[in-house]
Amino acid sequence: MGLFDNHNKDVFGGVFDFNGDGKTTLDEVFIASKFFEKTTKEDNETDDISFDNDLDFSSNASENNEWQDFCDDSEELGISPEDYETEDEYNEALEEAEYAWNNGCDDGYDENIGKVWLGSNVVNIPISFIVECPALDELEKIREADFPNKRRYNAAYTLASEFDIYSDDEYEQSEKKRCQFIIEKADTVIAANYLTHDGDFLYCQAVKDKFNLPITLPDEDETREFGFSEMLQKIAKKDTTLCLEVWEWCLEQFLPYAGHDILSKEELTNVSIDYLSDFSNEFMVVLIKYMSEHPDFRTTVVAEAGDLANNLSELVVEAIKQNLPDTAKALFKDGLTIANGEWKQINELTDRVILFSKDYEELETIEYVEQELLPLIKTYQDEMILDEIEVWEKDIAKYKLDVEQSCDKYAYTRSNAWRQTVSDGKEYDLDPLDYDNEKEYLESLAEEKYRWRQSFKNRETCDLNPEDYETENDFLEVLSTKADEKRKIEREERHKKDLERVNVPTISDDKDIYIYCGVVLPFSSRPYSFRTNDTTIKIGDTVIIPIGEERKETEGKIVSVGQYTRIGVPYPVERTKFILRKVEDNISNG
């Protein structure tokens, strides 16, 4: 923007308001510009003055005339300091000579035109040029009433003005080119009609004129009042679909002419993506679906941005979660295209996609990243990228394991599928959910299931190994049979020895009565025969009997009592062991 753009305001504090109307007119602006040009030149010349070290300040110089050595140069006016007695007389003559041109002037200006008041001091500024400026006449012909809006009027005025002062030539050319675009294209190009001469697209006004909106937007004639993203956010609160239609229309109308507004490219693309958190919660879902249905819109918003949007990774992940894998991959590829092989941007994009894929509630998202997106990264040859792939893969593997172990959704699937087929442990109060893997569960199940084997560790097992039997009942059944067989053999052997050792009377000659008791032992359900001479023993008594060759004392319970002659005894008399005592007798004796 030029220095003198405020054409209807007195921007100089009244210094150049020669006609006293309180405004700075075009001719006064012209005089002001010439004034600044002249004073700037004089300032530069003053900066070049250097003092001679050999100046004579001796006591021979008259103190009253010292002022003559330092007064302003006045040779061009024919005034010499030496012709005057005092400095005041000299200055008065000098001022009169400087403003001699003012005498007889009939153009309405008074002699104060050559004075600028600075505080309480008067600085005399000689202005000795004649105003002849045809351009002022041309500017006067440009009237605001001849233009449909303030924007076109400002553009026309700027193009015609020769008095604007710019900071550099590049900016001047840019503004003039922009103004030319507005004047020539405003009737046919929407972007030109809603562009200000100083480089702002007025999106709100354009959208108001195009769409029937459910909200109110500010009027914008020559100044932007509302940012593009702010406008979209306000529309989205009422109608998310309309918001996206407005966004797409603005891209079509304004993005091709982004060169006239240096910020418009970012505003129309990255800025709105980066401010997704300021939209409603469901807006991102609607945006992803819209991008899936309008791929040209997606490409324009993402790929035309020029720089990676920070929230692009969130869009990629949301597309995966919305079961739109093609859109997710397209967005990721757009990001890689923008990165243009630059490893920092590629690594950052991938890092953020992996990060946002971790919600510890499901694994499908991270697995899509692992199977579909990481292979795209592996195609790069940059070692700074390839070095990270192993890190990403390990991170994903650990995350998957953690989620499978902690998430109820995968309690019986994936690495936990063993829980569906493993042996039921309810009988032993075991639950597969309490174990991270099948091995740990089976070890606990075996420990509980075969705990009975430990009880036979120091007991007679008839050379049977409990490890060979699944259940205790199976083992005891075989053990009982084996024990009976062993006892039968032992009885036969002892009977044979007894016959050899003594002369046993024939059965028919033995008239004695023998008391036999049936005793059930802890390790068997069938009774074993024992003899006794105690006529008080009865069924139900607990007795102590000898077991095995070691004659280990063991408790047993009487289940039968009978008296027999030798010919009728249930077991050979000589080989039948005696009951040692009743348990009650032992207690009473104690």
Side-chain angles (χ1 to χ4, degrees), residues 155-166:
Y157 195 97
T158 301
L159 279 176
S161 176
E162 295 182 358
F163 311 121
D164 291 344
I165 299 176
Y166 294 88

Side-chain angles (χ1 to χ4, degrees), residues 141-175:
K141 295 178 182 179
I142 299 176
R143 296 177 301 174
E144 185 175 343
D146 296 334
F147 296 88
N149 54 53
K150 190 78 171 181
R151 301 182 292 279
R152 296 198 202 182
Y153 165 71
N154 288 341
Y157 195 97
T158 301
L159 279 176
S161 176
E162 295 182 358
F163 311 121
D164 291 344
I165 299 176
Y166 294 88
S167 58
D168 56 59
D169 292 341
E170 183 178 354
Y171 182 78
E172 179 179 3
Q173 293 302 317
S174 174
E175 183 171 89

Side-chain angles (χ1 to χ4, degrees), residues 349-537:
L349 174 63
T350 309
D351 274 334
R352 291 176 63 85
V353 167
I354 293 174
L355 174 64
F356 286 110
S357 297
K358 297 178 181 179
D359 59 6
Y360 291 89
E361 295 181 356
E362 51 86 19
L363 291 174
E364 287 74 14
T365 300
I366 198 71
E367 287 181 335
Y368 180 85
V369 173
E370 180 183 33
Q371 298 166 10
E372 300 295 333
L373 302 187
L374 276 188
L376 300 177
I377 303 299
K378 293 179 181 179
T379 61
Y380 289 91
Q381 300 304 311
D382 192 326
E383 293 296 331
M384 293 297 292
I385 299 174
L386 298 178
D387 285 349
E388 296 300 313
I389 291 177
E390 182 178 357
V391 177
W392 291 325
E393 289 177 336
K394 288 182 178 179
D395 181 49
I396 291 174
K398 182 180 182 303
Y399 169 76
K400 289 167 61 177
L401 182 61
D402 291 343
V403 174
E404 286 177 357
Q405 291 179 348
S406 62
C407 185
D408 292 342
K409 181 178 181 180
Y410 307 106
Y412 294 96
T413 59
R414 296 172 175 265
S415 62
N416 297 316
W418 60 270
R419 290 173 175 159
Q420 297 188 37
T421 57
V422 76
S423 299
D424 189 358
K426 290 183 179 179
E427 179 182 351
Y428 308 102
D429 197 25
L430 296 179
D431 189 342
L433 290 175
D434 296 332
Y435 298 86
D436 292 335
N437 56 66
E438 185 177 11
K439 180 182 177 182
E440 292 179 1
Y441 173 77
L442 291 178
E443 288 177 351
S444 296
L445 179 62
E447 182 178 354
E448 295 298 323
K449 185 177 182 180
Y450 302 118
R451 188 182 298 278
W452 61 268
R453 292 172 177 172
Q454 299 298 319
S455 64
F456 291 93
K457 190 172 183 179
N458 298 316
R459 293 169 59 180
E460 174 61 37
T461 61
C462 298
D463 298 326
L464 297 176
N465 186 359
E467 301 289 336
D468 297 334
Y469 298 88
E470 280 293 307
T471 68
E472 184 177 11
N473 287 338
D474 291 342
F475 176 71
L476 290 176
E477 184 177 348
V478 176
L479 178 62
S480 178
T481 301
K482 190 76 172 178
D484 287 347
E485 293 175 354
K486 184 178 181 180
R487 285 191 294 271
K488 181 179 180 181
I489 295 173
E490 289 175 348
R491 285 196 300 269
E492 291 174 351
E493 290 179 350
R494 285 196 299 270
H495 181 63
K496 183 178 180 181
K497 290 179 181 179
D498 290 342
L499 290 176
E500 293 175 351
R501 185 172 58 252
V502 296
N503 185 15
V504 180
T506 61
I507 295 177
S508 60
D509 295 336
D510 188 357
K511 302 301 183 183
D512 293 337
I513 300 299
Y514 301 93
I515 301 175
Y516 274 74
C517 298
V519 181
V520 174
L521 301 176
F523 54 79
S524 176
S525 59
R526 63 182 292 274
Y528 292 87
S529 295
F530 288 87
R531 290 174 58 188
T532 183
N533 292 323
D534 185 355
T535 58
T536 65
I537 289 180

Side-chain angles (χ1 to χ4, degrees), residues 540-560:
D541 286 346
T542 299
V543 296
I544 303 299
I545 46 88
I547 297 296
E549 294 181 357
E550 299 83 3
R551 302 183 67 81
K552 180 180 179 182
E553 293 187 0
T554 304
E555 285 189 358
K557 188 171 289 291
I558 302 297
V559 296
S560 66

Side-chain angles (χ1 to χ4, degrees), residues 23-37:
K23 299 180 180 180
T24 304
T25 59
L26 293 177
D27 50 357
E28 291 168 347
V29 168
F30 180 74
I31 293 173
S33 66
K34 293 300 182 179
F35 161 72
F36 282 112
E37 179 181 336

